[in-house]
Structures are given as structure tokens and as C-alpha cells.
Amino acid sequence: MYLNDRYQRVLIKNKYSKHCFSEWEKVKHGDPQGSILGPLFYLLYINDLPGIINGISKPTIFADDISIIFIHSNLSDFKDEINIVIEKISEWFQSNSLMLNFNKTHFIQFMAKPKLAIDIHISCKVNPINNTCSINFLGLTLDNTQSWKTLIDQLSPKLNSASYIIRSLRSVISTKNLRTIYFLYVHSIIAYGIICWGNSPYSSNIVKLQKRAIRIIMIASNRVSCHELFKKLTFFHSIHSTHCYYYCL
């Protein structure tokens, strides 16, 4: 059988001494890491999890990332529903021989203004769940005020590095190749999730960095308008145009 009679051991590589091996031990739970059937088995294994909390909360599952959304206008009921869901999840984990990783489990409150935050402390059994102001969700950093400032602050250094790469290569490769590098290191970063953060008031910082990269490719000064430069490179005029394009799709 596919899951029966499998063994594994741990190998520790050390360049200063001989490799160390553990003894072979039989795999009693799970399936081989990296296997083709692994994701399917995982989905089958957690298939009943959303059902036990679906009436109280809104679970969102993507691969092995599970997010649970709570919405309620009454503060007392809001806290009660959170406690009920945490208790149900704890029982589900215990009955399925799993453990909750508290280092990767966080609680975040979404609000219009920071002063509207509610003082809530959540714990599972005796383990507290960390209350955070921002969290990574499928490669996008969400902040509790939904301003996207944290995400944009993270994108800015990446785009600065991309501009440096383009500037360094400008004298040795053609404009056509620079255009390809732009799509690899600038456009790919800007386009991911732009439908979410494209309308942020902080997105103007990304527009400036995008225009800087375009001016470097075209060897243009900072005073030159990028409108015609975008046309020459057959780009969208700015990230806002890109945002509209993805929205229409």
C-alpha cells in the first residue's frame, strides 16, 4: 500500500565533520513530503473542518493556509463567537491528532481607525494567540486599518533594488532586454495584488518608483514626463492603469 511500511531518518550535514544519521523509524502518520498525492490527502483530511465552524464564522482555506473571519455588530456576541470557534477548533485538532502552531497563528482586528480597536485577548486552552497589527496572507501584508501602508513599505526597497539592477545593466544590454528585466523585477512586483492595494493613498510612492525605472531604461532626466516614455515601451501609463486593466479582467 502507498501509505504502509514507509520509513524515514534524519540526516545532518556538517562540512567540518562526517554526516550524522539517525536510525530508520517507521512513519506512523502522514505521507511522504513532496509527493503528488500529498495535497489531495491533506484536503481530504481537513475536509470536515469548515463545516464545524461555518455557521458561526467564515472560514477561508487556500492550500494549508486557513483564515477565519468574524463579523458582528454586538461586542459581547462577537467575543462569545470567537471563544466558541476556538473551542471547536481545539477539539477538532485533538480528535484528528494534530497540534495548532501558535507561532504561525495570529489574531488581527480590521477597523477604519486605530482608536476603534477592541481590547480582546484570545487563547486556545492555556496558550495565548498573538494579537498583531499586520499579517501576511498569500504574499500580501494586510494591516489592521486596511491602508496597505505596511505592504507598500515592503515593496519600495524591492523596487529600488530593481532600479539599481536596471541602471547597472543599461550600458551593456539593449532597451529590449531592459524591458524584459523590467517585467521580471518591477512589473511582477507591482501587478501582484494591485487590485487590492492599487487605490491606497500610499500607492503614489510606488508610482514614483515605477517612473524612476522607466526613466532609467529610456535614459531620461527626472523632469521628463513619463507619458510618452510609457508609450514608447508599450507599457500601461502607470500602476493605476494596470489596476484598471486587472479589474476589468
Side-chain angles (χ1 to χ4, degrees):
M1 294 291 291
Y2 177 76
L3 297 177
N4 292 343
D5 300 323
R6 288 190 176 271
Y7 292 80
Q8 69 179 16
R9 66 176 179 178
V10 177
L11 165 64
I12 301 177
K13 292 185 177 182
N14 191 332
K15 62 181 180 180
Y16 300 107
S17 61
K18 294 182 179 179
H19 296 340
C20 299
F21 300 88
S22 68
E23 297 294 330
W24 286 101
E25 294 289 342
K26 191 172 184 178
V27 179
K28 299 179 181 179
H29 301 282
D31 66 307
Q33 185 176 4
S35 64
I36 296 176
L37 292 177
L40 176 60
F41 286 145
Y42 173 79
L43 291 176
L44 292 174
Y45 196 74
I46 67 166
N47 185 55
D48 62 327
L49 175 58
I52 66 173
I53 59 175
N54 202 23
I56 308 173
S57 60
K58 296 181 179 180
T60 301
I61 298 178
F62 182 86
D64 60 345
D65 286 327
I66 301 176
S67 302
I68 303 174
I69 302 172
F70 298 91
I71 302 175
H72 211 292
S73 57
N74 185 281
L75 177 58
S76 177
D77 292 340
F78 180 66
K79 293 180 178 180
D80 290 341
E81 288 183 359
I82 292 176
N83 292 328
I84 292 172
V85 169
I86 294 297
E87 184 177 353
K88 287 181 177 292
I89 289 177
S90 178
E91 293 174 354
W92 185 90
F93 270 80
Q94 187 174 358
S95 61
N96 286 274
S97 303
L98 295 174
M99 294 181 63
L100 187 63
N101 188 341
F102 290 96
N103 293 326
K104 295 183 178 181
T105 304
H106 306 281
F107 170 73
I108 182 171
Q109 296 185 56
F110 293 105
M111 66 204 79
K113 298 179 180 178
K115 65 180 181 180
L116 299 178
I118 303 170
D119 186 22
I120 299 179
H121 301 281
I122 302 175
S123 61
C124 183
K125 299 296 184 182
V126 295
N127 300 290
I129 295 178
N130 181 40
N131 195 340
T132 183
C133 294
S134 62
I135 194 169
N136 187 283
F137 180 70
L138 302 180
L140 294 176
T141 301
L142 311 180
D143 59 88
N144 57 355
T145 59
Q146 304 173 67
S147 67
W148 300 99
K149 183 179 184 301
T150 305
L151 172 66
I152 291 172
D153 288 342
Q154 293 173 350
L155 296 183
S156 296
K158 296 180 181 180
L159 295 176
N160 277 321
S161 298
S163 294
Y164 175 79
I165 292 172
I166 294 173
R167 187 186 299 275
S168 300
L169 296 175
R170 184 178 61 186
S171 61
V172 295
I173 64 176
S174 65
T175 302
K176 180 180 178 180
N177 290 332
L178 287 175
R179 184 178 184 275
T180 301
I181 292 174
Y182 169 89
F183 276 99
L184 286 173
Y185 293 101
V186 179
H187 181 81
S188 60
I189 292 174
I190 293 176
Y192 184 69
I194 193 173
I195 194 171
C196 299
W197 60 265
N199 286 328
S200 168
Y202 300 99
S203 63
S204 58
N205 298 333
I206 303 300
V207 174
K208 294 177 182 178
L209 294 173
Q210 183 193 27
K211 290 181 177 180
R212 178 193 295 177
I214 297 300
R215 290 190 177 103
I216 293 173
I217 294 174
M218 300 302 293
I219 317 180
S221 68
N222 293 335
R223 294 181 177 275
V224 174
S225 172
C226 285
H227 183 75
E228 294 300 324
L229 302 182
F230 277 112
K231 286 185 177 180
K232 289 180 180 179
L233 292 171
T234 63
F235 290 163
F236 289 104
H237 292 184
S238 67
I239 68 166
H240 299 299
S241 299
T242 308
H243 171 249
C244 293
Y245 170 75
Y246 279 100
Y247 186 79
C248 292
L249 286 182

